[in-house]
Amino acid sequence: DVVLGPNLGFLVLSIAMFALGLAGAYRALRPAGEDSAARRSFAFGCLVFAAATLALRAGFDALPLDLDQLNAAPWLQGTWLAVLCGLAGVPFFAAGIVISGVLTLEPARIVPLYAVNLIASAVGCATLVPLITPLGPGGALWLASASAVLAAGLFARAPVPALLVAGGLAAAPFLHRPA
């Protein structure tokens, strides 16, 4: 919303909800599988989330979308808007694949897993909100990507390399803050 303008805020939320729901439907059709295969799948999903999140800002900046020209060139600008929607949906789809997979891997423990999911989401939001102003939207994306890389390492049972990469990603916005 900050990068795209206030009028597109509801569109972004709609894309997020659609992509998360699509991921849940995908997971219903293709269950996570056994533990080791599921862990690899979850780690890969986290890495897709991290890469897609880092690509968002550059992708949005590169698109020649101009909503003021939507009436003058509806097919062209509509195409760019569709590309923007697709770019915005990828991280949410990847996150939805991982979250729905984790929640369905052990159905007997769904209540505590869901409780941990909600608590971690709240802690993540509460941690990120005060950092948005000093880091800007790009810095917030770097921190989200760092968290996803760390999660990938934990799923892959390789926490030390993941911690090093995540630490580098998390430090990036502090080393070069936008003017």
Side-chain angles (χ1 to χ4, degrees), residues 33-81:
E34 63 184 61
D35 186 53
S36 62
R39 284 182 166 278
R40 285 192 303 275
S41 167
F42 300 158
F44 180 73
C46 289
L47 293 176
V48 169
F49 174 87
T53 299
L54 285 178
L56 278 179
R57 184 76 187 262
F60 288 174
D61 288 346
L63 285 177
L65 175 65
D66 183 357
L67 293 177
D68 293 332
Q69 295 296 316
L70 195 56
N71 287 333
W75 287 105
L76 179 63
Q77 294 305 318
T79 300
W80 292 126
L81 183 60

Side-chain angles (χ1 to χ4, degrees), residues 77-101:
Q77 294 305 318
T79 300
W80 292 126
L81 183 60
V83 170
L84 181 137
C85 292
L87 284 173
V90 171
F92 293 105
F93 181 78
I97 290 288
V98 173
I99 293 168
S100 62

